[in-house]
Amino acid sequence: MVKQERAARTRGALVRAAAEVFAHDGFVLASLTSISRRAGVSNGALHFHFESKQALARAVQDEAVAAVRALAPRAGGGAAEPLQRLIDATHALMGRLDGDVVVRAGFVLGNGSPRRDGAVDLRGQWQGWVEEVLKDAEREGALAEGVSAAEASVAVVAATVGFEQLGAHDRTWMAAATLVQFWDLLLPRLASADVLGRLLPGGTPAGAPGRT
């Protein structure tokens, strides 16, 4: 049991160290030596857990995918309004991107990577969820007249992915205040008059834990 716990800690340290290196250097420039050094383990210990840099990248992406998948369904807690769930999800996503290097690295690894190892497209998964929740909003009559779910999803996905990309160099792009400005601008065009007054651009407390 002690050996298993030690192995689990070592593997976790390697995944986090790999995420830090991938997020900073990208997949191509990242080296196994720099990852093992950052994790505080030998190259031999690294290879015991991961046979290659590709295997490490896959482990990082698997953890990032699990984190992002868990965000969207929980976002907003009990919020009934699809648009509020969407707002809450954007705050939750940006919060994780800002505070969780594994999630940041997961997006970096899916950005124009030349690898052919079945890398997960986190942005594609995010886009799919945004499209589905906006379809819910459309069915419930929550979108403004003349606005379709397809049109709205283009704006939301483009903006949030842009915040993620820009936030890699300037974290203020992932700040809650930036998202509030975005939603303040978009919601009057996006939401129906009946729904608009009930929406919270800053997210509901359950949807944006720890945000300022």
Side-chain angles (χ1 to χ4, degrees), residues 70-81 84-86 88-89 92 203-209:
L71 287 179
R74 289 205 313 261
E81 297 285 357
Q84 189 64 59
R85 294 202 307 271
L86 178 59
D88 293 344
T204 60

PDB file of all heavy atoms in Angstrom, residues 70-81 84-86 88-89 92 203-209:
ATOM      1  N   ALA A  70     -16.468  18.228 -16.272  1.00  0.00           N
ATOM      2  CA  ALA A  70     -17.156  18.393 -14.997  1.00  0.00           C
ATOM      3  C   ALA A  70     -17.660  19.816 -14.797  1.00  0.00           C
ATOM      4  O   ALA A  70     -18.597  20.041 -14.025  1.00  0.00           O
ATOM      5  CB  ALA A  70     -16.224  18.021 -13.848  1.00  0.00           C
ATOM      6  N   LEU A  71     -17.055  20.782 -15.473  1.00  0.00           N
ATOM      7  CA  LEU A  71     -17.433  22.181 -15.287  1.00  0.00           C
ATOM      8  C   LEU A  71     -18.811  22.492 -15.840  1.00  0.00           C
ATOM      9  O   LEU A  71     -19.656  23.050 -15.152  1.00  0.00           O
ATOM     10  CB  LEU A  71     -16.418  23.103 -15.968  1.00  0.00           C
ATOM     11  CG  LEU A  71     -15.053  23.257 -15.322  1.00  0.00           C
ATOM     12  CD1 LEU A  71     -14.199  24.180 -16.174  1.00  0.00           C
ATOM     13  CD2 LEU A  71     -15.184  23.792 -13.918  1.00  0.00           C
ATOM     14  N   ALA A  72     -19.034  22.149 -17.095  1.00  0.00           N
ATOM     15  CA  ALA A  72     -20.236  22.607 -17.779  1.00  0.00           C
ATOM     16  C   ALA A  72     -21.526  22.068 -17.166  1.00  0.00           C
ATOM     17  O   ALA A  72     -22.443  22.841 -16.907  1.00  0.00           O
ATOM     18  CB  ALA A  72     -20.159  22.265 -19.266  1.00  0.00           C
ATOM     19  N   PRO A  73     -21.653  20.778 -16.906  1.00  0.00           N
ATOM     20  CA  PRO A  73     -22.914  20.305 -16.333  1.00  0.00           C
ATOM     21  C   PRO A  73     -23.208  20.892 -14.962  1.00  0.00           C
ATOM     22  O   PRO A  73     -24.357  21.099 -14.609  1.00  0.00           O
ATOM     23  CB  PRO A  73     -22.701  18.783 -16.239  1.00  0.00           C
ATOM     24  CG  PRO A  73     -21.653  18.477 -17.237  1.00  0.00           C
ATOM     25  CD  PRO A  73     -20.752  19.669 -17.224  1.00  0.00           C
ATOM     26  N   ARG A  74     -22.135  21.183 -14.170  1.00  0.00           N
ATOM     27  CA  ARG A  74     -22.344  21.713 -12.830  1.00  0.00           C
ATOM     28  C   ARG A  74     -22.526  23.220 -12.838  1.00  0.00           C
ATOM     29  O   ARG A  74     -23.022  23.781 -11.873  1.00  0.00           O
ATOM     30  CB  ARG A  74     -21.133  21.382 -11.938  1.00  0.00           C
ATOM     31  CG  ARG A  74     -21.006  19.939 -11.561  1.00  0.00           C
ATOM     32  CD  ARG A  74     -20.229  19.811 -10.246  1.00  0.00           C
ATOM     33  NE  ARG A  74     -19.029  20.619 -10.247  1.00  0.00           N
ATOM     34  CZ  ARG A  74     -17.818  20.148 -10.499  1.00  0.00           C
ATOM     35  NH1 ARG A  74     -17.664  18.883 -10.814  1.00  0.00           N
ATOM     36  NH2 ARG A  74     -16.762  20.935 -10.457  1.00  0.00           N
ATOM     37  N   ALA A  75     -22.103  23.865 -13.884  1.00  0.00           N
ATOM     38  CA  ALA A  75     -22.112  25.326 -13.903  1.00  0.00           C
ATOM     39  C   ALA A  75     -23.504  25.856 -13.626  1.00  0.00           C
ATOM     40  O   ALA A  75     -24.481  25.411 -14.204  1.00  0.00           O
ATOM     41  CB  ALA A  75     -21.620  25.851 -15.242  1.00  0.00           C
ATOM     42  N   GLY A  76     -23.590  26.813 -12.730  1.00  0.00           N
ATOM     43  CA  GLY A  76     -24.868  27.416 -12.416  1.00  0.00           C
ATOM     44  C   GLY A  76     -25.644  26.681 -11.357  1.00  0.00           C
ATOM     45  O   GLY A  76     -26.683  27.154 -10.913  1.00  0.00           O
ATOM     46  N   GLY A  77     -25.140  25.512 -10.934  1.00  0.00           N
ATOM     47  CA  GLY A  77     -25.854  24.777  -9.897  1.00  0.00           C
ATOM     48  C   GLY A  77     -27.281  24.500 -10.324  1.00  0.00           C
ATOM     49  O   GLY A  77     -27.547  23.776 -11.264  1.00  0.00           O
ATOM     50  N   GLY A  78     -28.233  25.130  -9.643  1.00  0.00           N
ATOM     51  CA  GLY A  78     -29.639  24.900  -9.954  1.00  0.00           C
ATOM     52  C   GLY A  78     -30.222  25.931 -10.900  1.00  0.00           C
ATOM     53  O   GLY A  78     -31.437  26.061 -10.992  1.00  0.00           O
ATOM     54  N   ALA A  79     -29.377  26.711 -11.569  1.00  0.00           N
ATOM     55  CA  ALA A  79     -29.888  27.740 -12.478  1.00  0.00           C
ATOM     56  C   ALA A  79     -30.745  27.113 -13.559  1.00  0.00           C
ATOM     57  O   ALA A  79     -30.314  26.224 -14.278  1.00  0.00           O
ATOM     58  CB  ALA A  79     -28.725  28.499 -13.110  1.00  0.00           C
ATOM     59  N   ALA A  80     -31.985  27.572 -13.666  1.00  0.00           N
ATOM     60  CA  ALA A  80     -32.905  26.995 -14.650  1.00  0.00           C
ATOM     61  C   ALA A  80     -32.687  27.588 -16.036  1.00  0.00           C
ATOM     62  O   ALA A  80     -32.942  26.928 -17.039  1.00  0.00           O
ATOM     63  CB  ALA A  80     -34.349  27.212 -14.206  1.00  0.00           C
ATOM     64  N   GLU A  81     -32.261  28.826 -16.089  1.00  0.00           N
ATOM     65  CA  GLU A  81     -32.114  29.505 -17.370  1.00  0.00           C
ATOM     66  C   GLU A  81     -30.899  28.962 -18.128  1.00  0.00           C
ATOM     67  O   GLU A  81     -29.773  28.995 -17.610  1.00  0.00           O
ATOM     68  CB  GLU A  81     -31.940  31.015 -17.178  1.00  0.00           C
ATOM     69  CG  GLU A  81     -33.116  31.722 -16.553  1.00  0.00           C
ATOM     70  CD  GLU A  81     -34.258  31.898 -17.522  1.00  0.00           C
ATOM     71  OE1 GLU A  81     -34.113  31.511 -18.701  1.00  0.00           O
ATOM     72  OE2 GLU A  81     -35.299  32.422 -17.088  1.00  0.00           O
ATOM     73  N   GLN A  84     -28.138  31.495 -18.232  1.00  0.00           N
ATOM     74  CA  GLN A  84     -27.389  31.648 -16.990  1.00  0.00           C
ATOM     75  C   GLN A  84     -26.408  30.501 -16.806  1.00  0.00           C
ATOM     76  O   GLN A  84     -25.292  30.695 -16.327  1.00  0.00           O
ATOM     77  CB  GLN A  84     -28.342  31.718 -15.788  1.00  0.00           C
ATOM     78  CG  GLN A  84     -27.632  32.106 -14.495  1.00  0.00           C
ATOM     79  CD  GLN A  84     -27.052  33.522 -14.555  1.00  0.00           C
ATOM     80  OE1 GLN A  84     -27.778  34.488 -14.756  1.00  0.00           O
ATOM     81  NE2 GLN A  84     -25.736  33.640 -14.392  1.00  0.00           N
ATOM     82  N   ARG A  85     -26.814  29.301 -17.205  1.00  0.00           N
ATOM     83  CA  ARG A  85     -25.884  28.178 -17.145  1.00  0.00           C
ATOM     84  C   ARG A  85     -24.668  28.444 -18.032  1.00  0.00           C
ATOM     85  O   ARG A  85     -23.535  28.109 -17.675  1.00  0.00           O
ATOM     86  CB  ARG A  85     -26.571  26.876 -17.581  1.00  0.00           C
ATOM     87  CG  ARG A  85     -27.679  26.418 -16.650  1.00  0.00           C
ATOM     88  CD  ARG A  85     -27.963  24.930 -16.795  1.00  0.00           C
ATOM     89  NE  ARG A  85     -28.218  24.502 -18.154  1.00  0.00           N
ATOM     90  CZ  ARG A  85     -29.421  24.494 -18.725  1.00  0.00           C
ATOM     91  NH1 ARG A  85     -30.480  24.917 -18.055  1.00  0.00           N
ATOM     92  NH2 ARG A  85     -29.572  24.065 -19.960  1.00  0.00           N
ATOM     93  N   LEU A  86     -24.913  29.048 -19.180  1.00  0.00           N
ATOM     94  CA  LEU A  86     -23.822  29.369 -20.091  1.00  0.00           C
ATOM     95  C   LEU A  86     -22.892  30.421 -19.477  1.00  0.00           C
ATOM     96  O   LEU A  86     -21.658  30.279 -19.515  1.00  0.00           O
ATOM     97  CB  LEU A  86     -24.386  29.870 -21.419  1.00  0.00           C
ATOM     98  CG  LEU A  86     -23.369  30.299 -22.479  1.00  0.00           C
ATOM     99  CD1 LEU A  86     -22.444  29.145 -22.835  1.00  0.00           C
ATOM    100  CD2 LEU A  86     -24.094  30.804 -23.727  1.00  0.00           C
ATOM    101  N   ASP A  88     -22.462  31.069 -16.340  1.00  0.00           N
ATOM    102  CA  ASP A  88     -21.755  30.438 -15.222  1.00  0.00           C
ATOM    103  C   ASP A  88     -20.629  29.538 -15.711  1.00  0.00           C
ATOM    104  O   ASP A  88     -19.545  29.476 -15.114  1.00  0.00           O
ATOM    105  CB  ASP A  88     -22.733  29.632 -14.370  1.00  0.00           C
ATOM    106  CG  ASP A  88     -23.746  30.497 -13.642  1.00  0.00           C
ATOM    107  OD1 ASP A  88     -23.529  31.721 -13.551  1.00  0.00           O
ATOM    108  OD2 ASP A  88     -24.758  29.950 -13.173  1.00  0.00           O
ATOM    109  N   ALA A  89     -20.881  28.824 -16.806  1.00  0.00           N
ATOM    110  CA  ALA A  89     -19.863  27.925 -17.345  1.00  0.00           C
ATOM    111  C   ALA A  89     -18.649  28.696 -17.838  1.00  0.00           C
ATOM    112  O   ALA A  89     -17.514  28.247 -17.672  1.00  0.00           O
ATOM    113  CB  ALA A  89     -20.441  27.084 -18.478  1.00  0.00           C
ATOM    114  N   ALA A  92     -16.683  29.586 -14.816  1.00  0.00           N
ATOM    115  CA  ALA A  92     -16.027  28.400 -14.271  1.00  0.00           C
ATOM    116  C   ALA A  92     -14.828  28.000 -15.120  1.00  0.00           C
ATOM    117  O   ALA A  92     -13.760  27.650 -14.599  1.00  0.00           O
ATOM    118  CB  ALA A  92     -17.023  27.246 -14.181  1.00  0.00           C
ATOM    119  N   GLY A 203     -22.184  35.878 -13.091  1.00  0.00           N
ATOM    120  CA  GLY A 203     -22.357  34.481 -12.720  1.00  0.00           C
ATOM    121  C   GLY A 203     -23.037  34.333 -11.379  1.00  0.00           C
ATOM    122  O   GLY A 203     -22.966  35.212 -10.516  1.00  0.00           O
ATOM    123  N   THR A 204     -23.732  33.215 -11.180  1.00  0.00           N
ATOM    124  CA  THR A 204     -24.326  32.925  -9.879  1.00  0.00           C
ATOM    125  C   THR A 204     -23.234  32.419  -8.943  1.00  0.00           C
ATOM    126  O   THR A 204     -22.209  31.921  -9.398  1.00  0.00           O
ATOM    127  CB  THR A 204     -25.425  31.858 -10.022  1.00  0.00           C
ATOM    128  OG1 THR A 204     -24.842  30.671 -10.568  1.00  0.00           O
ATOM    129  CG2 THR A 204     -26.536  32.335 -10.913  1.00  0.00           C
ATOM    130  N   PRO A 205     -23.428  32.539  -7.631  1.00  0.00           N
ATOM    131  CA  PRO A 205     -22.379  32.092  -6.694  1.00  0.00           C
ATOM    132  C   PRO A 205     -21.944  30.653  -6.931  1.00  0.00           C
ATOM    133  O   PRO A 205     -20.771  30.351  -6.843  1.00  0.00           O
ATOM    134  CB  PRO A 205     -23.047  32.274  -5.331  1.00  0.00           C
ATOM    135  CG  PRO A 205     -24.036  33.377  -5.556  1.00  0.00           C
ATOM    136  CD  PRO A 205     -24.550  33.189  -6.956  1.00  0.00           C
ATOM    137  N   ALA A 206     -22.879  29.755  -7.251  1.00  0.00           N
ATOM    138  CA  ALA A 206     -22.520  28.355  -7.481  1.00  0.00           C
ATOM    139  C   ALA A 206     -21.757  28.188  -8.775  1.00  0.00           C
ATOM    140  O   ALA A 206     -20.992  27.243  -8.952  1.00  0.00           O
ATOM    141  CB  ALA A 206     -23.770  27.476  -7.502  1.00  0.00           C
ATOM    142  N   GLY A 207     -21.962  29.112  -9.733  1.00  0.00           N
ATOM    143  CA  GLY A 207     -21.327  28.972 -11.029  1.00  0.00           C
ATOM    144  C   GLY A 207     -19.960  29.573 -11.095  1.00  0.00           C
ATOM    145  O   GLY A 207     -19.200  29.285 -12.016  1.00  0.00           O
ATOM    146  N   ALA A 208     -19.631  30.423 -10.121  1.00  0.00           N
ATOM    147  CA  ALA A 208     -18.330  31.092 -10.186  1.00  0.00           C
ATOM    148  C   ALA A 208     -17.668  31.110  -8.826  1.00  0.00           C
ATOM    149  O   ALA A 208     -17.423  32.148  -8.246  1.00  0.00           O
ATOM    150  CB  ALA A 208     -18.509  32.515 -10.716  1.00  0.00           C
ATOM    151  N   PRO A 209     -17.360  29.946  -8.263  1.00  0.00           N
ATOM    152  CA  PRO A 209     -16.766  29.905  -6.941  1.00  0.00           C
ATOM    153  C   PRO A 209     -15.402  30.556  -6.907  1.00  0.00           C
ATOM    154  O   PRO A 209     -14.566  30.342  -7.753  1.00  0.00           O
ATOM    155  CB  PRO A 209     -16.641  28.390  -6.657  1.00  0.00           C
ATOM    156  CG  PRO A 209     -16.579  27.767  -8.023  1.00  0.00           C
ATOM    157  CD  PRO A 209     -17.423  28.620  -8.894  1.00  0.00           C
TER     158      PRO A 209
END
